[in-house]
Amino acid sequence: MQLPFKFAGGSTATPIDIRARQSRMMEYDQPLVWVVILLMLLGMVMVYSASIALPDSPKFAAYSNTYFLQRQATFILIAAVIGACVFRVPVATLQAGAPYLFIATLLLLVLVLIPGIGIVVNGGRRWLPFGLGQPSEVMKLIMVLYAADYTVRKQEYMHKLTKGFLPMALAVSFVGLLLLLEPDLGAFGVIVCIAMGILFLGGVNAVWFGGIGAMLVTIFVSIIALSKFRRDRFFAYLNPWEEENALNKAYQLTHSLIAFGRGELFGVGLGGSVEKLHYLPEAHTDFLLAVIGEELGLVGVLVVIALFYWIVKRAFDIGRQAIAIDQTFAGLVAKGIGIWIGVQCFINMGVNLGLLPTKGLTLPLMSYGGSGVVINCVGLAILLRIDYENRVLMRGGRV
Protein backbone atom coordinates (compact mmCIF):
# COMPACT_ATOMS: atom_id res chain seq x y z
CA MET A 1 0.00 0.00 0.00
CA GLN A 2 1.40 3.40 -1.05
CA LEU A 3 0.90 6.03 1.65
CA PRO A 4 0.33 9.56 0.31
CA PHE A 5 2.56 12.53 1.18
CA LYS A 6 0.94 15.85 1.96
CA PHE A 7 2.31 19.05 0.40
CA ALA A 8 1.74 22.68 1.37
CA GLY A 9 -1.71 23.73 0.25
CA GLY A 10 -3.32 20.38 1.08
CA SER A 11 -2.41 18.44 -2.09
CA THR A 12 -1.29 14.84 -1.72
CA ALA A 13 0.97 12.61 -3.76
CA THR A 14 2.06 8.99 -3.52
CA PRO A 15 5.70 7.92 -3.94
CA ILE A 16 4.78 6.87 -7.47
CA ASP A 17 3.61 10.43 -8.20
CA ILE A 18 6.83 11.84 -6.79
CA ARG A 19 8.97 9.52 -8.93
CA ALA A 20 6.90 10.47 -11.95
CA ARG A 21 7.50 14.16 -11.29
CA GLN A 22 11.24 13.57 -10.79
CA SER A 23 11.46 11.63 -14.04
CA ARG A 24 9.60 14.40 -15.87
CA MET A 25 12.15 16.95 -14.62
CA MET A 26 14.77 14.89 -16.43
CA GLU A 27 12.94 15.45 -19.73
CA TYR A 28 14.95 18.29 -21.18
CA ASP A 29 16.57 19.07 -24.51
CA GLN A 30 19.86 17.24 -24.02
CA PRO A 31 21.38 18.23 -27.40
CA LEU A 32 20.82 21.90 -26.54
CA VAL A 33 22.52 21.45 -23.17
CA TRP A 34 25.52 19.74 -24.74
CA VAL A 35 25.90 22.42 -27.42
CA VAL A 36 25.85 25.13 -24.74
CA ILE A 37 28.41 23.23 -22.64
CA LEU A 38 30.63 22.74 -25.69
CA LEU A 39 30.57 26.46 -26.52
CA MET A 40 31.36 27.46 -22.93
CA LEU A 41 34.23 24.98 -22.62
CA LEU A 42 35.66 25.98 -26.00
CA GLY A 43 35.31 29.60 -24.94
CA MET A 44 37.15 28.90 -21.68
CA VAL A 45 40.03 27.28 -23.57
CA MET A 46 40.22 30.19 -26.02
CA VAL A 47 40.00 32.78 -23.22
CA TYR A 48 42.99 31.08 -21.60
CA SER A 49 44.87 31.06 -24.88
CA ALA A 50 44.02 34.70 -25.63
CA SER A 51 44.90 35.96 -22.13
CA ILE A 52 47.94 33.88 -21.22
CA ALA A 53 50.36 36.63 -22.33
CA LEU A 54 48.50 39.55 -20.73
CA PRO A 55 50.56 39.51 -17.47
CA ASP A 56 53.59 40.52 -19.57
CA SER A 57 52.09 44.03 -19.91
CA PRO A 58 52.26 46.59 -17.08
CA LYS A 59 48.45 46.84 -16.94
CA PHE A 60 48.10 43.16 -15.95
CA ALA A 61 51.48 42.64 -14.30
CA ALA A 62 49.90 41.73 -10.96
CA TYR A 63 47.92 38.85 -12.48
CA SER A 64 49.06 35.27 -13.03
CA ASN A 65 48.97 33.58 -16.44
CA THR A 66 45.93 31.57 -15.35
CA TYR A 67 44.03 34.48 -13.76
CA PHE A 68 41.45 34.85 -16.52
CA LEU A 69 41.12 31.08 -16.96
CA GLN A 70 40.35 30.61 -13.27
CA ARG A 71 37.83 33.44 -13.22
CA GLN A 72 36.11 32.22 -16.38
CA ALA A 73 35.85 28.71 -14.95
CA THR A 74 34.33 30.22 -11.79
CA PHE A 75 31.86 32.25 -13.86
CA ILE A 76 30.80 29.12 -15.75
CA LEU A 77 30.30 27.18 -12.51
CA ILE A 78 28.22 29.99 -11.00
CA ALA A 79 26.23 30.32 -14.23
CA ALA A 80 25.50 26.57 -14.26
CA VAL A 81 24.23 26.62 -10.66
CA ILE A 82 22.04 29.69 -11.22
CA GLY A 83 20.78 28.25 -14.50
CA ALA A 84 19.80 24.99 -12.78
CA CYS A 85 17.82 26.98 -10.19
CA VAL A 86 16.10 29.13 -12.83
CA PHE A 87 15.12 26.00 -14.77
CA ARG A 88 12.84 25.05 -11.86
CA VAL A 89 10.89 28.33 -12.04
CA PRO A 90 7.56 27.91 -13.90
CA VAL A 91 7.08 30.08 -16.97
CA ALA A 92 3.84 31.43 -15.45
CA THR A 93 5.87 32.82 -12.53
CA LEU A 94 8.24 34.56 -14.94
CA GLN A 95 5.28 36.09 -16.76
CA ALA A 96 3.77 37.38 -13.53
CA GLY A 97 7.07 38.91 -12.45
CA ALA A 98 8.13 40.38 -15.81
CA PRO A 99 6.88 43.99 -15.18
CA TYR A 100 8.49 44.10 -11.72
CA LEU A 101 11.79 42.70 -13.03
CA PHE A 102 11.75 45.37 -15.75
CA ILE A 103 11.29 48.17 -13.19
CA ALA A 104 14.03 46.73 -10.96
CA THR A 105 16.48 46.54 -13.87
CA LEU A 106 15.64 50.13 -14.85
CA LEU A 107 16.64 51.18 -11.34
CA LEU A 108 19.96 49.35 -11.76
CA LEU A 109 20.56 51.21 -15.03
CA VAL A 110 19.96 54.46 -13.16
CA LEU A 111 22.24 53.44 -10.29
CA VAL A 112 25.13 52.68 -12.61
CA LEU A 113 25.07 56.31 -13.84
CA ILE A 114 25.45 57.78 -10.34
CA PRO A 115 29.05 58.91 -9.66
CA GLY A 116 30.53 56.95 -6.79
CA ILE A 117 28.33 53.94 -7.48
CA GLY A 118 28.86 53.10 -11.14
CA ILE A 119 32.35 51.85 -12.00
CA VAL A 120 34.12 53.44 -14.98
CA VAL A 121 36.16 51.09 -17.20
CA ASN A 122 37.70 52.19 -20.53
CA GLY A 123 35.64 55.38 -20.51
CA GLY A 124 32.27 53.68 -19.98
CA ARG A 125 30.23 53.71 -16.76
CA ARG A 126 28.61 50.28 -17.11
CA TRP A 127 29.46 48.25 -14.02
CA LEU A 128 28.08 48.09 -10.48
CA PRO A 129 30.31 47.25 -7.48
CA PHE A 130 30.25 44.16 -5.24
CA GLY A 131 30.14 41.76 -8.18
CA LEU A 132 26.73 42.95 -9.41
CA GLY A 133 28.10 43.19 -12.95
CA GLN A 134 26.55 45.02 -15.90
CA PRO A 135 22.85 45.96 -15.67
CA SER A 136 22.83 46.29 -19.48
CA GLU A 137 23.42 42.53 -19.75
CA VAL A 138 20.54 41.87 -17.36
CA MET A 139 18.28 44.19 -19.36
CA LYS A 140 18.75 42.07 -22.52
CA LEU A 141 17.07 39.11 -20.80
CA ILE A 142 14.50 41.20 -18.95
CA MET A 143 13.52 42.93 -22.19
CA VAL A 144 12.72 39.51 -23.66
CA LEU A 145 10.39 38.73 -20.75
CA TYR A 146 8.83 42.19 -20.59
CA ALA A 147 8.23 42.55 -24.34
CA ALA A 148 6.66 39.07 -24.48
CA ASP A 149 4.43 39.81 -21.48
CA TYR A 150 3.46 43.22 -22.88
CA THR A 151 2.56 41.70 -26.26
CA VAL A 152 0.33 39.08 -24.61
CA ARG A 153 -1.38 41.59 -22.30
CA LYS A 154 -1.96 44.14 -25.08
CA GLN A 155 -2.77 41.66 -27.83
CA GLU A 156 -6.15 43.24 -28.62
CA TYR A 157 -4.54 46.69 -28.85
CA MET A 158 -1.47 45.80 -30.92
CA HIS A 159 -3.00 47.44 -34.01
CA LYS A 160 -3.64 50.69 -32.11
CA LEU A 161 -0.94 53.32 -31.74
CA THR A 162 -1.72 54.91 -28.37
CA LYS A 163 -2.76 51.80 -26.41
CA GLY A 164 -0.59 49.21 -28.13
CA PHE A 165 2.63 50.28 -29.78
CA LEU A 166 3.42 53.68 -28.23
CA PRO A 167 3.81 52.63 -24.54
CA MET A 168 6.32 49.93 -25.50
CA ALA A 169 8.18 52.34 -27.75
CA LEU A 170 8.46 54.84 -24.89
CA ALA A 171 9.74 52.15 -22.51
CA VAL A 172 12.42 51.07 -24.99
CA SER A 173 13.33 54.72 -25.64
CA PHE A 174 13.87 55.31 -21.91
CA VAL A 175 16.07 52.22 -21.69
CA GLY A 176 17.99 53.46 -24.74
CA LEU A 177 18.53 56.87 -23.16
CA LEU A 178 20.01 55.29 -20.03
CA LEU A 179 22.27 53.04 -22.11
CA LEU A 180 23.50 55.91 -24.28
CA LEU A 181 24.43 57.85 -21.14
CA GLU A 182 26.79 55.03 -20.08
CA PRO A 183 27.51 54.92 -23.12
CA ASP A 184 26.69 51.44 -24.48
CA LEU A 185 25.46 51.69 -28.06
CA GLY A 186 25.98 47.97 -28.67
CA ALA A 187 23.67 46.88 -25.86
CA PHE A 188 21.12 49.46 -27.00
CA GLY A 189 21.17 47.98 -30.50
CA VAL A 190 20.64 44.44 -29.21
CA ILE A 191 17.80 45.47 -26.89
CA VAL A 192 16.04 47.40 -29.67
CA CYS A 193 16.28 44.35 -31.95
CA ILE A 194 14.84 42.13 -29.19
CA ALA A 195 11.88 44.44 -28.55
CA MET A 196 11.16 45.06 -32.22
CA GLY A 197 11.48 41.38 -33.06
CA ILE A 198 9.02 40.29 -30.37
CA LEU A 199 6.54 43.03 -31.31
CA PHE A 200 6.77 41.94 -34.94
CA LEU A 201 6.15 38.30 -34.00
CA GLY A 202 3.29 39.43 -31.76
CA GLY A 203 1.43 41.02 -34.65
CA VAL A 204 2.13 44.75 -34.36
CA ASN A 205 0.74 46.99 -37.10
CA ALA A 206 3.05 46.67 -40.12
CA VAL A 207 2.89 50.39 -41.02
CA TRP A 208 3.91 51.51 -37.55
CA PHE A 209 6.56 48.81 -37.40
CA GLY A 210 8.08 50.08 -40.64
CA GLY A 211 7.84 53.65 -39.45
CA ILE A 212 9.54 52.99 -36.12
CA GLY A 213 12.21 50.97 -37.94
CA ALA A 214 12.97 53.94 -40.19
CA MET A 215 13.02 56.24 -37.16
CA LEU A 216 15.48 53.96 -35.34
CA VAL A 217 17.79 53.94 -38.35
CA THR A 218 17.63 57.74 -38.36
CA ILE A 219 18.43 57.82 -34.63
CA PHE A 220 21.44 55.53 -35.00
CA VAL A 221 22.76 57.55 -37.96
CA SER A 222 22.29 60.77 -35.97
CA ILE A 223 24.11 59.31 -32.95
CA ILE A 224 27.09 58.47 -35.17
CA ALA A 225 26.98 61.80 -37.06
CA LEU A 226 26.76 63.97 -33.91
CA SER A 227 29.58 62.17 -32.06
CA LYS A 228 33.07 62.93 -33.38
CA PHE A 229 34.48 59.77 -31.79
CA ARG A 230 31.85 57.52 -33.39
CA ARG A 231 32.04 59.41 -36.68
CA ASP A 232 35.83 58.99 -36.86
CA ARG A 233 35.51 55.30 -35.99
CA PHE A 234 32.90 54.80 -38.71
CA PHE A 235 35.03 56.44 -41.42
CA ALA A 236 38.05 54.47 -40.20
CA TYR A 237 35.97 51.30 -40.60
CA LEU A 238 35.27 52.25 -44.24
CA ASN A 239 39.02 52.57 -44.94
CA PRO A 240 40.87 50.62 -42.22
CA TRP A 241 44.13 50.16 -44.12
CA GLU A 242 44.80 53.89 -44.56
CA GLU A 243 47.92 54.53 -42.46
CA GLU A 244 46.39 56.99 -40.00
CA ASN A 245 43.32 54.80 -39.48
CA ALA A 246 45.34 51.60 -39.13
CA LEU A 247 47.38 53.18 -36.33
CA ASN A 248 44.43 54.80 -34.61
CA LYS A 249 40.65 54.21 -34.86
CA ALA A 250 40.91 51.08 -37.03
CA TYR A 251 43.77 49.53 -35.05
CA GLN A 252 41.64 46.72 -33.57
CA LEU A 253 39.95 45.99 -36.90
CA THR A 254 43.16 45.73 -38.88
CA HIS A 255 44.78 43.40 -36.35
CA SER A 256 41.60 41.31 -36.20
CA LEU A 257 41.71 40.92 -39.98
CA ILE A 258 45.41 40.06 -39.82
CA ALA A 259 44.56 37.33 -37.29
CA PHE A 260 41.96 35.81 -39.61
CA GLY A 261 44.42 36.05 -42.51
CA ARG A 262 47.13 34.23 -40.58
CA GLY A 263 44.73 31.45 -39.61
CA GLU A 264 43.83 30.53 -43.20
CA LEU A 265 41.96 27.20 -43.41
CA PHE A 266 43.07 25.19 -40.36
CA GLY A 267 44.79 27.83 -38.23
CA VAL A 268 48.29 28.12 -36.80
CA GLY A 269 47.47 25.77 -33.93
CA LEU A 270 46.04 26.19 -30.45
CA GLY A 271 48.19 28.66 -28.51
CA GLY A 272 50.06 29.78 -31.61
CA SER A 273 48.41 33.18 -32.07
CA VAL A 274 50.72 36.15 -32.54
CA GLU A 275 48.01 38.83 -32.49
CA LYS A 276 47.13 38.01 -28.87
CA LEU A 277 50.67 39.04 -27.87
CA HIS A 278 49.59 42.63 -27.12
CA TYR A 279 48.83 43.49 -30.75
CA LEU A 280 45.05 42.90 -30.67
CA PRO A 281 43.35 44.73 -27.76
CA GLU A 282 40.55 42.93 -25.90
CA ALA A 283 41.50 39.62 -27.52
CA HIS A 284 39.91 37.65 -24.66
CA THR A 285 36.61 39.58 -24.72
CA ASP A 286 35.26 41.42 -27.77
CA PHE A 287 37.74 39.95 -30.27
CA LEU A 288 37.88 36.36 -29.10
CA LEU A 289 36.60 35.17 -32.49
CA ALA A 290 39.70 36.66 -34.16
CA VAL A 291 41.93 34.52 -31.92
CA ILE A 292 39.78 31.49 -32.79
CA GLY A 293 40.21 32.33 -36.47
CA GLU A 294 43.97 32.63 -36.11
CA GLU A 295 44.52 29.49 -34.05
CA LEU A 296 41.77 27.21 -35.39
CA GLY A 297 41.34 28.73 -38.86
CA LEU A 298 38.27 28.97 -41.04
CA VAL A 299 37.20 25.50 -39.91
CA GLY A 300 37.12 26.56 -36.26
CA VAL A 301 35.16 29.73 -37.04
CA LEU A 302 32.60 27.81 -39.12
CA VAL A 303 32.12 25.30 -36.30
CA VAL A 304 31.39 28.14 -33.86
CA ILE A 305 28.96 29.76 -36.31
CA ALA A 306 27.20 26.44 -36.90
CA LEU A 307 26.77 25.82 -33.15
CA PHE A 308 25.26 29.26 -32.59
CA TYR A 309 23.02 28.82 -35.62
CA TRP A 310 21.77 25.55 -34.13
CA ILE A 311 20.94 27.26 -30.82
CA VAL A 312 19.02 30.06 -32.56
CA LYS A 313 17.12 27.61 -34.77
CA ARG A 314 16.29 25.43 -31.78
CA ALA A 315 14.99 28.47 -29.86
CA PHE A 316 12.62 29.31 -32.71
CA ASP A 317 11.51 25.67 -32.97
CA ILE A 318 10.70 25.60 -29.24
CA GLY A 319 8.86 28.92 -29.54
CA ARG A 320 6.82 27.73 -32.50
CA GLN A 321 5.92 24.58 -30.58
CA ALA A 322 4.80 26.59 -27.53
CA ILE A 323 2.59 28.89 -29.60
CA ALA A 324 1.02 25.85 -31.28
CA ILE A 325 -0.23 24.64 -27.87
CA ASP A 326 -1.52 28.14 -26.93
CA GLN A 327 1.42 29.09 -24.71
CA THR A 328 1.90 32.45 -26.41
CA PHE A 329 4.05 34.10 -23.74
CA ALA A 330 6.39 31.11 -23.59
CA GLY A 331 6.59 31.00 -27.39
CA LEU A 332 7.48 34.69 -27.66
CA VAL A 333 10.09 34.37 -24.90
CA ALA A 334 11.73 31.41 -26.66
CA LYS A 335 11.86 33.27 -29.95
CA GLY A 336 13.05 36.41 -28.15
CA ILE A 337 15.96 34.46 -26.67
CA GLY A 338 16.77 33.25 -30.19
CA ILE A 339 16.71 36.84 -31.46
CA TRP A 340 18.93 37.99 -28.58
CA ILE A 341 21.59 35.31 -29.09
CA GLY A 342 21.43 35.59 -32.87
CA VAL A 343 21.69 39.39 -33.05
CA GLN A 344 24.52 39.60 -30.51
CA CYS A 345 26.47 36.85 -32.30
CA PHE A 346 25.91 38.57 -35.66
CA ILE A 347 27.16 41.93 -34.37
CA ASN A 348 30.21 40.45 -32.62
CA MET A 349 31.16 38.30 -35.60
CA GLY A 350 30.48 41.15 -38.02
CA VAL A 351 32.77 43.46 -36.04
CA ASN A 352 35.54 40.84 -35.87
CA LEU A 353 35.30 40.17 -39.61
CA GLY A 354 35.10 43.83 -40.61
CA LEU A 355 31.51 43.58 -41.85
CA LEU A 356 30.28 46.06 -39.21
CA PRO A 357 31.88 49.11 -37.53
CA THR A 358 33.87 48.32 -34.42
CA LYS A 359 31.64 48.09 -31.35
CA GLY A 360 32.30 46.56 -27.96
CA LEU A 361 30.01 43.53 -27.72
CA THR A 362 30.99 40.11 -26.44
CA LEU A 363 30.44 36.73 -28.06
CA PRO A 364 27.70 34.98 -26.02
CA LEU A 365 28.77 32.04 -23.82
CA MET A 366 32.40 32.29 -24.99
CA SER A 367 33.93 35.71 -24.30
CA TYR A 368 35.47 36.47 -20.91
CA GLY A 369 33.09 38.08 -18.43
CA GLY A 370 30.87 37.09 -15.54
CA SER A 371 27.72 39.10 -16.30
CA GLY A 372 27.51 37.89 -19.89
CA VAL A 373 28.04 34.19 -19.17
CA VAL A 374 25.62 34.14 -16.22
CA ILE A 375 22.83 36.00 -18.05
CA ASN A 376 23.31 33.88 -21.18
CA CYS A 377 22.94 30.71 -19.08
CA VAL A 378 19.86 32.08 -17.31
CA GLY A 379 18.26 32.85 -20.67
CA LEU A 380 19.03 29.39 -22.00
CA ALA A 381 17.75 27.81 -18.76
CA ILE A 382 14.44 29.59 -19.38
CA LEU A 383 14.48 28.22 -22.92
CA LEU A 384 14.99 24.71 -21.54
CA ARG A 385 12.13 25.26 -19.08
CA ILE A 386 9.82 26.27 -21.94
CA ASP A 387 10.79 23.13 -23.84
CA TYR A 388 10.18 21.03 -20.71
CA GLU A 389 6.72 22.51 -20.18
CA ASN A 390 5.92 21.97 -23.87
CA ARG A 391 6.71 18.27 -23.49
CA VAL A 392 4.62 17.93 -20.33
CA LEU A 393 1.61 19.76 -21.80
CA MET A 394 1.69 17.80 -25.04
CA ARG A 395 1.46 14.59 -22.99
CA GLY A 396 -1.61 15.90 -21.18
CA GLY A 397 0.22 16.74 -17.95
CA ARG A 398 0.23 19.88 -15.85
CA VAL A 399 3.12 22.21 -14.94
Side-chain angles (χ1 to χ4, degrees):
M1 178 179 178
Q2 298 287 353
L3 296 177
F5 292 92
K6 192 167 186 178
F7 293 93
S11 62
T12 59
T14 66
I16 295 177
D17 295 328
I18 295 172
R19 286 194 295 270
R21 290 182 184 181
Q22 290 174 341
S23 64
R24 286 196 312 175
M25 289 301 291
M26 296 302 293
E27 294 180 6
Y28 58 89
D29 192 331
Q30 294 190 31
L32 177 58
V33 173
W34 285 113
V35 168
V36 170
I37 291 173
L38 178 60
L39 281 171
M40 288 196 295
L41 293 180
L42 176 59
M44 185 172 66
V45 171
M46 297 312 302
V47 164
Y48 177 48
S49 178
S51 64
I52 192 170
L54 286 180
D56 295 337
S57 69
K59 182 179 179 180
F60 300 101
Y63 298 155
S64 68
N65 296 104
T66 60
Y67 174 81
F68 293 98
L69 170 65
Q70 293 171 351
R71 285 179 63 86
Q72 187 72 355
T74 303
F75 294 150
I76 290 174
L77 180 61
I78 293 172
V81 173
I82 295 176
C85 295
V86 171
F87 175 75
R88 304 187 70 87
V89 178
V91 175
T93 302
L94 295 174
Q95 184 175 4
Y100 306 103
L101 291 171
F102 181 72
I103 294 172
T105 310
L106 276 180
L107 293 176
L108 293 178
L109 287 175
V110 172
L111 280 177
V112 82
L113 296 174
I114 299 176
I117 297 180
I119 299 173
V120 179
V121 178
N122 295 331
R125 190 184 297 274
R126 304 174 187 174
W127 286 263
L128 288 174
F130 311 115
L132 296 177
Q134 292 181 261
S136 59
E137 290 291 335
V138 179
M139 180 53 80
K140 293 172 186 175
L141 173 60
I142 300 306
M143 182 56 73
V144 172
L145 299 176
Y146 180 70
D149 174 61
Y150 181 87
T151 302
V152 172
R153 284 189 291 109
K154 300 287 186 177
Q155 189 62 54
E156 60 181 310
Y157 302 115
M158 290 306 289
H159 290 282
K160 297 182 179 180
L161 179 60
T162 54
K163 291 186 177 181
F165 186 77
L166 189 58
M168 188 65 191
L170 291 175
V172 174
S173 299
F174 184 60
V175 171
L177 176 63
L178 294 176
L179 290 173
L180 291 176
L181 290 174
E182 293 186 5
D184 195 346
L185 184 60
F188 179 37
V190 173
I191 288 170
V192 167
C193 289
I194 291 170
M196 293 292 289
I198 291 177
L199 288 175
F200 176 78
L201 295 171
V204 72
N205 185 288
V207 175
W208 294 329
F209 183 85
I212 197 67
M215 186 177 72
L216 286 170
V217 171
T218 303
I219 290 173
F220 276 102
V221 171
S222 300
I223 290 171
I224 294 173
L226 296 175
S227 170
K228 185 178 185 304
F229 173 78
R230 293 191 178 98
R231 189 169 63 247
D232 291 345
R233 178 176 280 189
F234 180 77
F235 285 118
Y237 151 75
L238 295 177
N239 186 18
W241 299 108
E242 196 271 326
E243 183 177 357
E244 182 179 353
N245 292 336
L247 296 174
N248 194 1
K249 300 296 183 184
Y251 181 82
Q252 279 181 301
L253 174 58
T254 53
H255 281 278
S256 178
L257 295 175
I258 290 170
F260 283 110
R262 291 192 74 247
E264 296 184 345
L265 187 59
F266 297 106
V268 298
L270 186 62
S273 170
V274 171
E275 287 299 320
K276 71 183 181 185
L277 303 177
H278 312 295
Y279 293 104
L280 177 61
E282 307 300 333
H284 61 307
T285 55
D286 300 343
F287 283 84
L288 186 67
L289 187 71
V291 178
I292 294 174
E294 185 177 4
E295 297 190 350
L296 304 182
L298 176 63
V299 172
V301 173
L302 290 178
V303 168
V304 171
I305 292 174
L307 292 175
F308 277 116
Y309 168 79
W310 192 90
I311 290 177
V312 173
K313 181 180 182 300
R314 184 68 189 126
F316 273 81
D317 289 342
I318 292 172
R320 192 160 44 244
Q321 190 177 57
I323 291 174
I325 57 175
D326 294 326
Q327 301 297 306
T328 306
F329 171 78
L332 291 176
V333 169
K335 292 185 178 183
I337 292 171
I339 293 171
W340 163 30
I341 299 294
V343 168
Q344 186 159 332
C345 285
F346 176 77
I347 294 176
N348 177 272
M349 293 175 180
V351 167
N352 276 252
L353 293 166
L355 301 176
L356 296 172
T358 303
K359 189 70 206 81
L361 206 62
T362 57
L363 188 61
L365 299 171
M366 299 188 71
S367 291
Y368 173 79
S371 300
V373 172
V374 170
I375 295 301
N376 292 156
C377 282
V378 169
L380 290 166
I382 293 173
L383 182 63
L384 285 166
R385 176 71 193 193
I386 294 170
D387 176 66
Y388 161 73
E389 292 193 6
N390 287 350
R391 296 173 188 235
V392 172
L393 291 171
M394 286 190 296
R395 292 181 180 179
R398 292 189 302 173
V399 293

